[in-house]
Amino acid sequence: MQKYDYLIVGAGLFGCVFAHEATKQGKKCLVVDKRTHVGGNVYCENIDGINVHKYGAHIFHTNDKAIWDYVNQFAEFNNYINSPISLSKGKLYNLPFNMNTFYQLWGTKTPEEAKTIIESQIKQFGVKTPKNLEEQALSLIGKDVYETLIKEYTEKQWGKKATDLPSFIIKRLPVRYTFNNNYFNDTYQGIPIGGYNKIIDGLLKDIDVKTNVDFFEEKEELSALANKIVYTGKIDEFYNYKFGNLEYRSLRFENIRLDTDNYQGNAVVNYNDATVPYTRIIEHKHFEFGKQKHTVITKEFSEKWTQEKEAYYPINNDDNQNKYQQYRALSIQEDNIIFGGRLAEYKYYDMHQIIASALQKSKQELS
Ligand code: UDP
């Protein structure tokens, strides 16, 4: 008899939630991760008393009360509201696109004035069924917002022309005719006080964990330890890239400690212009309203992905989706392997969606 019911490959949110739920049902789990720490991309590194979101800024938001209650079991959340600023051609603009942004762009003071401009620009463009991100943006918000706040940021972020990107990416951004700078429309939002590691530690309490373990280097020995595998890594790697590589976008982070208590006055400042090499600067202390005399900022550079780099964003265009479907067809035939999470499902997931998916898959598996 095997020692474990489940071998969980990857200690990110999907793997940790699955392990937690399975353990609650009396199952024995072993969680392995190739990094030196658990938590996947929500891991925070404490630098000089500041929780630095090491793999990119994570702001928790959800409309689902059950998901909100779930994460609140493990950590208390503060009342942080994400209100990013964008710098474009020397001027600052509020995001998401709202009455403040429209005032900064055109001096419009009422919703009617702003709507008149936006609707005339949408009409001028005249496309009813957008086929790509550029067409989606132009038919949603018009030329001025697109050219000032979307085009260059998006092309820098994805390393592709906006005309070669899927339209769903831009649907993430709300458009509002109120003076409301909240980036998200969700009812619940915040940052766990003390960082995301508290949630991960709570999820993995009393569960066997091994870090520094590369699943593919010890596949046979590890697989023999458990009845079933929960795999959260890259699905194309699992099948040895037999249908070819799935494409990702990678990121590079440059952390800088500064002897100032407040560098940019906001947690997130986006840099729209193509001439600036990074997409945004994160000042981590503002996520937790830090009072330190110093600060840590991170410049985020978007990079071409290669196999030795971290895979951050799946590039869900048609070519990649078709390839993914071939891998998925294999994965659903597996009796003893459960695939889940951003890399195994090749999906641009937010944290709350990953948790919902892990809860649903674990329920299905364990019932
Ligand atoms: N975006 C943009 N301008 C901005 C911020 C975002 O055009 O200032 C677009 C861009 O295409 C990006 C998408 O909106 O990929 C989603 O951005 P968000 O910040 O929500 O995603 P994240 O990178 O944080 O997952």
Side-chain angles (χ1 to χ4, degrees):
M1 211 184 80
Q2 275 100 338
K3 191 162 178 247
Y4 293 101
D5 295 296
Y6 295 99
L7 168 74
I8 292 163
V9 181
L13 269 180
F14 189 97
C16 292
V17 169
F18 194 105
H20 185 80
E21 293 306 303
T23 306
K24 265 196 337 207
Q25 303 276 325
K27 305 290 182 197
K28 192 112 181 68
C29 298
L30 171 64
V31 181
V32 298
D33 199 290
K34 70 175 173 190
R35 288 184 180 159
T36 55
H37 58 76
V38 291
N41 287 354
V42 307
Y43 173 74
C44 294
E45 182 176 28
N46 192 298
I47 301 183
D48 230 351
I50 295 173
N51 282 314
V52 171
H53 296 204
K54 192 176 161 77
Y55 303 95
H58 282 76
I59 298 124
F60 198 89
H61 57 95
T62 181
N63 255 331
D64 187 334
K65 173 96 168 50
I67 300 292
W68 183 241
D69 290 343
Y70 190 83
V71 290
N72 274 269
Q73 297 175 82
F74 307 107
E76 196 183 330
F77 277 67
N78 69 17
N79 61 348
Y80 175 81
I81 298 281
N82 197 34
S83 315
I85 305 280
S86 181
L87 183 69
S88 176
K89 302 186 178 58
K91 273 186 74 179
L92 291 174
Y93 297 88
N94 287 107
L95 292 177
F97 314 127
N98 73 82
M99 286 300 294
N100 290 307
T101 329
F102 308 143
Y103 176 71
Q104 291 147 356
L105 265 171
W106 307 303
T108 47
K109 295 183 189 68
T110 64
E112 201 183 324
E113 286 170 18
K115 257 185 206 163
T116 305
I117 295 184
I118 290 172
E119 279 168 12
S120 91
Q121 292 192 1
I122 292 173
K123 209 165 148 200
Q124 237 175 338
F125 178 59
V127 168
K128 293 260 174 340
T129 43
K131 289 189 299 296
N132 55 53
L133 192 148
E134 177 166 296
E135 293 187 2
Q136 177 69 52
L138 288 169
S139 59
L140 193 76
I141 193 76
K143 179 170 172 284
D144 287 357
V145 173
Y146 175 66
E147 287 177 356
T148 312
L149 297 165
I150 299 176
K151 183 176 167 27
E152 291 176 37
Y153 183 98
T154 295
E155 295 189 340
K156 186 157 63 166
Q157 161 73 12
W158 294 96
K160 285 193 192 293
K161 293 265 164 241
T163 44
D164 293 332
L165 285 164
S167 48
F168 81 88
I169 293 172
I170 205 69
K171 285 193 199 146
R172 290 167 58 87
L173 297 185
V175 177
R176 293 196 194 109
Y177 292 97
T178 54
F179 291 91
N180 176 2
N181 297 326
N182 185 344
Y183 200 57
F184 302 112
N185 284 325
D186 292 347
T187 315
Y188 309 102
Q189 185 175 171
I191 301 282
I193 298 171
Y196 285 93
N197 300 4
K198 274 190 84 171
I199 296 180
I200 297 296
D201 293 345
L203 286 166
L204 292 180
K205 193 169 174 281
D206 301 326
I207 295 176
D208 290 352
V209 174
K210 283 188 188 163
T211 50
N212 265 321
V213 172
D214 186 329
F215 172 68
F216 293 105
E217 276 173 16
E218 303 170 42
K219 194 171 172 190
E220 262 175 47
E221 302 89 300
L222 286 169
S223 305
L225 293 176
N227 295 325
K228 283 194 171 184
I229 295 176
V230 176
Y231 178 79
T232 73
K234 298 207 298 282
I235 191 166
D236 53 348
E237 187 174 13
F238 189 89
Y239 289 111
N240 210 11
Y241 307 102
K242 66 192 288 179
F243 304 123
N245 268 345
L246 292 170
E247 274 185 295
Y248 297 88
R249 191 73 178 148
S250 197
L251 298 172
R252 179 169 61 83
F253 301 102
E254 209 174 286
N255 296 334
I256 308 164
R257 184 204 184 279
L258 297 168
D259 283 319
T260 171
D261 65 335
N262 187 7
Y263 172 75
Q264 62 183 16
N266 206 32
V268 185
V269 178
N270 291 356
Y271 286 77
N272 181 73
D273 300 350
T275 48
V276 179
Y278 38 87
T279 50
R280 48 192 168 192
I281 296 184
I282 306 297
E283 186 170 13
H284 302 269
K285 67 188 297 182
H286 295 307
F287 286 132
E288 298 186 60
F289 317 114
K291 298 277 185 295
Q292 300 86 347
K293 289 200 171 68
H294 58 280
T295 194
V296 178
I297 61 162
T298 302
K299 290 182 178 169
E300 186 172 318
F301 299 81
S302 191
E303 287 193 335
K304 188 175 162 50
W305 176 79
T306 53
Q307 264 185 35
E308 50 302 335
K309 288 188 193 167
E310 293 287 346
Y312 285 96
Y313 295 92
I315 299 187
N316 297 107
N317 58 14
D318 290 347
D319 282 355
N320 284 302
Q321 279 310 109
N322 292 339
K323 221 177 270 178
Y324 166 67
Q325 287 307 333
Q326 291 182 276
Y327 286 116
R328 191 182 125 76
L330 291 184
S331 74
I332 55 177
Q333 284 167 25
E334 306 275 4
D335 286 331
N336 294 319
I337 308 168
I338 296 157
F339 291 79
R342 182 178 48 99
L343 298 174
E345 294 178 59
Y346 196 61
K347 200 164 168 193
Y348 190 173
Y349 266 136
D350 287 335
M351 289 180 283
H352 63 291
Q353 296 166 325
I354 291 271
I355 293 170
S357 156
L359 286 174
Q360 192 249 325
K361 281 202 180 164
S362 56
K363 198 171 163 194
Q364 194 182 326
E365 167 68 15
L366 297 160
S367 63

